[in-house]
Amino acid sequence: MQFLGIAKGSLAEAETQLLLAERLSYLGRADARTLLLASSDINRMLVALSASLKRRTDG
């Protein structure tokens, strides 16, 4: 669970960097949106994995 929390924090940092890269024109809007959608999918996977592991340890 600790490592999943770290992964979620790292993902949030990466999202922030993507937003900055787009704002500073290092990254195009379409590429930024594609990567942010991918990060959203990854976040959902991390949340689901975390919930699954919590159910296993609580049950």
Side-chain angles (χ1 to χ4, degrees), residues 1 5 10-11 16-17 19-21 24 27 29 32-34 36 38-42 46 49-50 52 56-58:
M1 295 301 286
S10 296
L11 183 61
T16 300
Q17 295 299 317
L19 292 171
L20 284 171
L24 297 172
L27 189 61
R29 171 171 256 145
R33 295 295 161 225
T34 299
L36 287 168
S39 75
S40 180
D41 289 341
I42 292 167
L46 290 171
L49 180 55
S50 178
S52 175
R56 290 178 111 192
T57 59
D58 290 345

